[in-house]
Amino acid sequence: MATRRMPAEWEEHSGCIIIMPKRAGSWRLGAAPAEKAFAEVIRAISKSERVYVCTDNPDRAAQLFCGDNVTVLGGPDTDDAWARDIAPTFVIDGGKVVGINWEFNAWGGEYNGLYVHWEKDNAFAKAVCARLGLPVCDASPFVLEGGSVHSDGEGTVMVTEACLLSKGRNPELTK
C-alpha cells in the first residue's frame, strides 16, 4: 500500500511557483512597481532553489530573470498573482509528487469573493501540473486556498476555519 503524505512546509522541495503580477484591480501603475519587487524576490529565491515563473509575457520575464535556477513557464494565464492560494498543493504518494487541485473561488465566490472572475485562477493548478508533467488529484468541489492549510509532515494538518467553513467557500460543511 502506498503511503500518502503532505510534506511540512520547511522540508526540502524542488522549487517555488511565482505568478507575475498584472491584474489592474490588484496592482497599481500597470503592475510595474510590483514586477520590480517580484523580480527581486525571484532573484533571491533562485539562489537556493528553482523558481517556476508563470507569466503571459515570457519574453519580458526571460529578460528580467535569467539564471540556472529560473524556469519561465509562460502561462498558464491567471486572473491574479496569488500562487500560494491557486497553485497546486503537493503531496507525496508512494514516493512520487502529486498535485492537488482544490476549487478556488477568489476567497469567497459570489458571496464575498475578492473579484468577479476567477475561472483562470481556478484552472491554474491543473494547468501547472500538466506543464510540469505531474499527476493531479482533483479535490473539487472542495474549496480551499493553499495558504489556509499547513502540515507538519507527520499527519497533522492545521487549517483556517474562516477559510474552509465560510458561507462563500464550503457552506454545507460544519466544524
Side-chain angles (χ1 to χ4, degrees), residues 92-158:
I92 308 299
D93 186 357
K96 295 182 181 181
V97 176
V98 176
I100 306 296
N101 174 55
W102 309 100
E103 188 77 17
F104 177 79
N105 68 1
W107 305 283
E110 294 178 13
Y111 177 76
N112 62 349
L114 187 59
Y115 44 90
V116 178
H117 295 286
W118 57 82
E119 297 83 8
K120 294 174 187 172
D121 284 353
N122 191 39
F124 184 77
K126 282 184 182 179
V128 165
C129 286
R131 286 186 185 224
L132 296 176
L134 295 172
V136 64
C137 175
D138 191 1
S140 62
F142 190 76
V143 178
L144 180 125
E145 298 95 37
S148 70
V149 60
H150 302 279
S151 169
D152 67 359
E154 297 179 16
T156 303
V157 178
M158 294 189 323

Side-chain angles (χ1 to χ4, degrees), residues 13-89:
H13 55 274
S14 61
C16 173
I17 299 169
I18 293 183
I19 303 167
M20 290 306 295
K22 66 175 184 177
R23 186 173 174 273
S26 295
W27 308 102
R28 64 183 179 85
L29 303 174
E35 182 181 82
K36 209 173 187 183
F38 274 52
E40 289 177 30
V41 169
I42 290 166
R43 282 192 287 277
I45 293 172
S46 70
K47 290 177 183 176
S48 61
E49 68 182 64
R50 172 146 317 275
V51 180
Y52 297 92
V53 179
C54 299
T55 177
D56 62 353
N57 191 347
D59 293 336
R60 172 81 174 129
Q63 290 171 356
L64 289 171
F65 337 106
C66 52
D68 293 337
N69 250 0
V70 177
T71 300
V72 177
L73 293 178
D77 198 15
T78 61
D79 299 299
D80 212 337
W82 301 109
R84 172 85 171 136
D85 284 343
I86 69 171
T89 302

